[in-house]
Amino acid sequence: MLTPIHQIFKNNFTTLKNRIKSYRITITGLVQGVGFRPFIYRIAHENGIWGWVENNIRGVTVVAEGPEKELKSFVSDIRRKAPPASGIENVSVEEIDPAGYGNFEIRKSNDTIRGITEISPDIAVCDECLDDMKHQPHRIAYPFTNCTNCGPRFTIIKALPYDRHNTTMDVFEMCNICRQEYTDVRNRRFHAQPVACNHCGPTYELFSGDDHHTVFSEVLDKTVELVESGKIIAVKGMGGFHLMCDATDEKAVARLRERKIREGKPFAVMFGDTETLADFTLMDETERRVLTSWRRPIVLLKQKQALAPSVNKGFHRIGVMLPYMPFHHQLFEKLSIPAIVLTSGNLSDEPIILDNHTAEEELAGIADAFLFYNREIHNRVDDSVCFVASGKPRLIRRSRGYVPSPIRIGLDVEGIFAAGAELVNCFAVGKESLALLSQHIGDLQNFGTFAFYEETVDKFKKLFRFDTELVSVDMHPDYFSTRYGKKTGMPVVEVQHHHAHVAACMAEHGLDEKVIGISFDGTGYGDDGHIWGGEFFVCDLNEYSREAHFQYIPMPGGDKVTKEPWRSAVAYLYTYFGKDFQKLDLEFLRSIPSQNIALVLEAIEKHINTPFSSSCGRLFDAVSALINLCPVSKFHAEAPMRLESIAEKEVESSYPFDPGETIGFKPMFEAILRDLRQNISRGIISAKFHNTLINVIFAVASEISRKSGIKKVVMSGGSFQNAVLLEGAVKKLTENGLTVFVHEKVPSNDGGIALGQLAVAAKRRESGNAAR
């Protein structure tokens, strides 16, 4: 139906032609899968504009005609009223000759060009859909209700453009009611590709022993009964399977740990709402905002009331999330318990399972029941994880809700494939000036995870029409990702691990200049063949100069030190005090067989499998073991995490250290040993240790700044996931006139390495020294 202004225009085009303007508007960014075309249609009608809108590979194109005043109002509304889950990068407007359109229409998607379209991440169910589940007759209690503003996106998309036939919803034929909604531009479900209802959409089924339930009300009631009776359920989620149990039932949680072979790493839990969550955790406004956002990540919060002890095994923080699928909300409406464990559905270190058959086979020894649905997951994603430090969210794992949203870095990264690191791997592909980072992949040393890596690389290349021209890899010759990148046959750029860390943070903040780069982590291959990890650089995106570093310490047993922190403690003690340290009767050594200690000392003396390391992560390990907090780790980075967890907040004192280009810690170890003899609490020792590292960062950065005149400090690496270290360093540097940049959009751990590799490769290609 034509609006009055449309009718007037249609009848008087020749008369009005000189007063009519026509714009071709190109909108780029996250503008597909978020209801953008119907939004454009609605504001076109509100402003009396005629023309058309279409999706294409580059984004959304609009041709708009009308009086100049109305056109300007229309263009303004594009940004001002955009859908909440959209992310507009750019709106370009070109004036063209009017064609005399008599209405405004949504055109069929066009995929004939090979530019960029951003694909929406999966979006938590919206309040309007939750209301529809209670009032719309065909959606009463329907657990897959969604609209243009919410629901699955990345997990179901197989190809571009984002239309139903290119998703895993292609096998579900819409009923007449859904089709009416889908084709009605005024409806909230206009072109919502996963639209469905009780008549035509995906369905759940529950298997519990010999019981098989397919009626959803029975499925829901039985699930509640199983959870509240202490059972473990494998549940198909948005991007893969979860394992679920009662978070207040210690027996159930302990049994899940035993079956999943996950001895110590904390479990994530889901609460039904923020009111209940507030009874169990401390939560500031930023944390609340992140938790309730459409991305719905897991957020680390301080715990004030305990759940089952085995949920987080003695840590003061707990990873929590809120419901993001309709089923989660339905579950909590019936549960009498405040929280459920919702952990990844896999065996430890394996990728999350995404299909029903594999779940039934591989989780049979863990789960007591299986809750399936019959829509396929095409792209697996874990739950994202973040924490808030210095008032801003910091990602630890970037996956559901964030991927595949790109990061614009202001460099030409077209055709560059960045292979990423070995642990907590993510890779990246470059399109124009956008870095498209993969979801969290994991540890590539695991066979299943490496297969997931290869599969996801292929999917990204297809989905984003990516052709590899240049490959960027870590310098470490034995990384699986490095080997994979070199096998492509394309020119290769090798990037030093810690330079990539700093470059990732620079790229995220749009920095392309000399900075003071600080990179603290567990391991990274250095130029000299040693393991680096406590590094101070002056660098830009092209090159770096190593200005200072932690003292090299032998790491007896190589990678074994990550699982047995006592080895790092012994190495530090031997380096600083020789074998005399054995006379100190240290508590942590009593639990270590004397022959093991003797073998480690012999290996150090004879240089047998004892690579030298300047790692900050190993220093954390050593102190954690020395105070007998964590001499043996049950999961990756447990020792540093526990050391952070016990640090007392009000302690301002610190330990001495030896400054210089090589930073030594003998005075610190001497002081810690004195504190142990005087029975100073471990919480105070931890706080003083953290304060010492903050002082090291400040002292070295200040000296580099004095010499170089550089005022910008960039901090990256896994050690900066430590909120005590991060906040203390940012505060001290900022108070003393330095500008500090830390990660917000990508993890500071190795999950962000690929972004740095991409940026370095792009800069070197630009300067003519890319492949070597």
Side-chain angles (χ1 to χ4, degrees):
M1 178 186 245
L2 298 181
T3 64
I5 193 168
H6 286 149
Q7 190 66 56
I8 293 168
F9 174 74
K10 186 175 182 181
N11 295 337
N12 299 278
F13 177 69
T14 304
T15 305
L16 295 172
K17 187 173 182 181
N18 293 333
R19 292 158 51 190
I20 296 301
K21 300 283 187 181
S22 183
Y23 292 165
R24 179 183 295 276
I25 305 165
T26 304
I27 307 154
T28 59
L30 178 49
V31 290
Q32 287 199 21
V34 291
F36 212 88
R37 286 181 297 171
F39 155 70
I40 291 292
Y41 183 96
R42 286 193 294 273
I43 63 170
H45 273 257
E46 288 171 8
N47 287 280
I49 300 300
W50 45 94
W52 51 263
V53 58
E54 73 171 15
N55 275 350
N56 53 54
I57 296 300
R58 193 170 294 278
V60 168
T61 299
V62 183
V63 168
E65 294 186 351
E68 187 172 12
K69 180 181 177 182
E70 282 75 9
L71 272 177
K72 286 182 177 179
S73 174
F74 171 72
V75 172
S76 173
D77 282 351
I78 292 174
R79 282 193 183 274
R80 192 165 58 86
K81 297 181 178 179
S86 65
I88 296 174
E89 289 284 354
N90 187 58
V91 178
S92 66
V93 180
E94 173 193 4
E95 187 167 350
I96 58 176
D97 291 332
Y101 297 105
N103 59 9
F104 196 93
E105 66 178 11
I106 296 177
R107 289 189 170 180
K108 187 177 178 181
S109 300
N110 175 10
D111 66 351
T112 58
I113 58 175
R114 296 179 65 84
I116 306 169
T117 290
E118 293 186 29
I119 297 167
S120 169
D122 302 287
I123 304 170
V125 61
C126 68
D127 290 340
E128 290 173 294
C129 280
L130 292 174
D131 186 67
D132 289 344
M133 290 165 62
K134 297 185 183 300
H135 299 107
Q136 281 191 346
H138 58 303
R139 288 200 176 85
I140 295 295
Y142 182 59
F144 296 94
T145 299
N146 66 85
C147 69
T148 54
N149 298 320
C150 71
R153 298 292 191 270
F154 176 61
T155 50
I156 64 171
I157 192 168
K158 295 186 286 187
L160 286 176
Y162 176 64
D163 287 324
R164 193 178 180 101
H165 69 273
N166 283 330
T167 74
T168 58
M169 284 296 295
D170 58 347
V171 297
F172 297 97
E173 186 173 349
M174 280 182 264
C175 67
N176 290 336
I177 301 175
C178 284
R179 187 167 296 282
Q180 263 187 335
E181 296 172 323
Y182 183 85
T183 54
D184 181 358
V185 73
R186 296 160 298 183
N187 193 285
R188 204 175 78 252
R189 293 188 172 88
F190 176 75
H191 282 208
Q193 305 308 334
V195 66
C197 72
N198 280 308
H199 302 152
C200 63
T203 56
Y204 277 103
E205 58 182 337
L206 177 70
F207 293 87
S208 174
D210 294 331
D211 291 342
H212 178 210
H213 300 276
T214 57
V215 177
F216 182 69
S217 60
E218 296 175 7
V219 168
L220 183 59
D221 288 342
K222 185 65 176 178
T223 301
V224 170
E225 178 189 323
L226 288 167
V227 171
E228 293 186 340
S229 63
K231 301 300 183 184
I232 298 166
I233 307 175
V235 182
K236 190 173 185 179
M238 184 85 79
F241 273 80
H242 286 113
L243 291 164
M244 175 174 70
C245 72
D246 180 354
T248 66
D249 184 340
E250 173 59 18
K251 288 182 180 178
V253 180
R255 189 162 56 250
L256 176 57
R257 282 203 176 278
E258 182 182 354
R259 292 180 183 178
K260 189 173 160 66
I261 318 173
R262 181 162 162 167
E263 191 175 351
K265 190 175 181 181
F267 284 135
V269 297
M270 177 179 281
F271 285 83
D273 51 61
T274 54
E275 290 74 19
T276 308
L277 177 59
D279 292 335
F280 288 83
T281 66
L282 299 172
M283 175 175 40
D284 66 24
E285 190 50 43
T286 303
E287 290 163 336
R288 180 187 295 271
R289 189 171 64 249
V290 177
L291 273 166
T292 57
S293 72
W294 62 266
R295 300 182 189 276
R296 286 293 201 279
I298 295 168
V299 180
L300 301 184
L301 298 179
K302 293 175 184 175
Q303 188 170 340
K304 69 179 183 182
Q305 181 179 333
L307 295 167
S310 290
V311 167
N312 57 342
K313 301 286 277 189
F315 285 97
H316 75 288
R317 291 195 298 183
I318 185 169
V320 302
M321 57 183 150
L322 294 174
Y324 56 85
M325 295 177 71
F327 176 78
H328 297 151
H329 289 271
Q330 293 171 299
L331 187 64
F332 275 101
E333 284 178 359
K334 288 184 170 283
L335 283 171
S336 62
I337 57 176
I340 54 173
V341 167
L342 208 62
T343 188
S344 54
N346 57 357
L347 293 173
S348 290
D349 299 326
E350 293 282 336
I352 190 171
I353 294 168
L354 73 152
D355 68 276
N356 298 347
H357 177 71
T358 305
E360 198 168 14
E361 284 191 339
E362 296 192 8
L363 301 179
I366 302 176
D368 301 307
F370 292 85
L371 182 59
F372 298 143
Y373 61 75
N374 58 343
R375 183 184 67 213
E376 288 186 10
I377 298 169
H378 187 70
N379 298 299
R380 80 181 88 202
V381 291
D382 292 85
D383 294 313
S384 296
V385 184
C386 73
F387 67 104
V388 172
S390 298
K392 294 182 179 180
R394 317 285 178 183
L395 282 166
I396 295 174
R397 184 167 70 200
R398 186 177 185 270
S399 212
R400 178 188 54 76
Y402 294 85
V403 173
S405 291
I407 295 169
R408 187 175 294 280
I409 62 174
L411 296 166
D412 177 13
V413 292
E414 181 67 45
I416 302 176
F417 169 70
E422 184 90 330
L423 299 175
V424 292
N425 175 275
C426 291
F427 64 83
V429 298
K431 293 288 288 185
E432 297 182 359
S433 62
L434 298 184
L436 295 152
L437 273 71
S438 76
Q439 65 270 46
H440 167 78
I441 302 292
D443 179 1
L444 297 189
Q445 294 173 354
N446 177 279
F447 177 80
T449 305
F450 187 69
F452 172 33
Y453 175 83
E454 293 181 304
E455 163 199 308
T456 308
V457 170
D458 289 342
K459 286 180 177 178
F460 261 60
K461 287 181 176 179
K462 177 185 175 184
L463 194 56
F464 295 106
R465 272 97 162 170
F466 177 80
D467 296 317
T468 307
E469 300 170 7
L470 182 65
V471 175
S472 187
V473 301
D474 194 280
M475 278 178 53
H476 199 303
D478 295 327
Y479 275 7
F480 281 87
S481 55
T482 300
R483 292 176 179 176
Y484 177 89
K486 289 183 175 180
K487 283 181 181 178
T488 62
M490 292 290 124
V492 173
V493 175
E494 293 186 352
V495 183
Q496 199 280 324
H497 188 88
H498 301 94
H499 185 208
H501 267 310
V502 176
C505 192
M506 292 176 67
E508 180 182 325
H509 290 282
L511 299 174
D512 187 7
E513 60 194 277
K514 292 285 186 185
V515 300
I516 299 168
I518 303 173
S519 185
F520 286 1
D521 68 358
T523 183
Y525 191 74
D527 292 343
D528 55 6
H530 295 319
I531 298 168
W532 291 6
E535 310 305 314
F536 293 85
F537 295 160
V538 166
C539 65
D540 54 24
L541 293 176
N542 194 38
E543 58 188 4
Y544 62 93
S545 168
R546 194 186 192 197
E547 300 295 311
H549 61 86
F550 288 3
Q551 179 181 354
Y552 282 128
I553 299 294
M555 295 290 104
D559 287 345
K560 270 191 174 182
V561 295
T562 62
K563 297 178 180 178
E564 299 179 0
W566 68 266
R567 290 172 177 265
S568 294
V570 166
Y572 268 100
L573 292 171
Y574 178 79
T575 299
Y576 291 145
F577 311 113
K579 288 187 176 181
D580 286 348
F581 78 86
Q582 295 178 90
K583 301 174 184 177
L584 299 175
D585 190 29
L586 295 168
E587 186 180 359
F588 85 97
L589 293 176
R590 296 173 199 163
S591 61
I592 311 299
S594 57
Q595 63 268 30
N596 290 6
I597 298 171
L599 285 171
V600 162
L601 293 174
E602 183 180 5
I604 294 172
E605 289 174 338
K606 295 182 178 180
H607 307 291
I608 301 170
N609 192 23
T610 52
F612 282 99
S613 172
S614 62
S615 164
C616 181
R618 300 294 77 79
L619 179 60
F620 267 93
D621 283 353
V623 174
S624 190
L626 178 60
I627 65 174
N628 203 33
L629 180 64
C630 186
V632 176
S633 291
K634 298 179 181 68
F635 60 91
H636 176 69
E638 179 182 8
M641 287 171 64
R642 292 205 179 277
L643 197 59
E644 176 194 1
S645 181
I646 66 166
E648 295 194 12
K649 304 303 179 189
E650 305 306 318
V651 176
E652 296 182 358
S653 56
S654 60
Y655 296 119
F657 61 92
D658 289 327
E661 292 183 10
T662 299
I663 302 152
F665 293 99
K666 183 177 181 181
M668 183 184 76
F669 274 85
E670 290 173 334
I672 292 175
L673 290 172
R674 281 196 302 272
D675 279 354
L676 288 172
R677 287 195 297 270
Q678 295 171 14
N679 294 317
I680 301 298
S681 76
R682 294 190 299 192
I684 292 176
I685 293 173
S686 173
K688 292 169 73 174
F689 168 69
H690 280 86
N691 292 340
T692 303
L693 288 186
I694 292 165
N695 290 343
V696 169
I697 290 170
F698 172 67
V700 178
S702 296
E703 180 62 15
I704 295 173
S705 179
R706 185 187 66 80
K707 289 180 178 179
S708 65
I710 298 171
K711 297 294 184 182
K712 292 181 179 179
V713 179
V714 175
M715 301 195 301
S716 183
S719 295
F720 289 111
Q721 291 175 158
N722 181 314
V724 177
L725 179 64
L726 177 64
E727 290 182 331
V730 168
K731 183 174 184 289
K732 190 150 191 172
L733 292 168
T734 303
E735 287 176 348
N736 286 275
L738 295 171
T739 304
V740 185
F741 298 88
V742 293
H743 287 284
E744 297 172 35
K745 297 177 183 176
V746 300
S748 63
N749 61 37
D750 284 5
I753 281 281
L755 179 61
Q757 292 173 343
L758 200 73
V760 171
K763 195 64 182 178
R764 288 181 181 169
R765 180 171 67 179
E766 180 186 293
S767 60
N769 64 339
R772 57 182 184 183

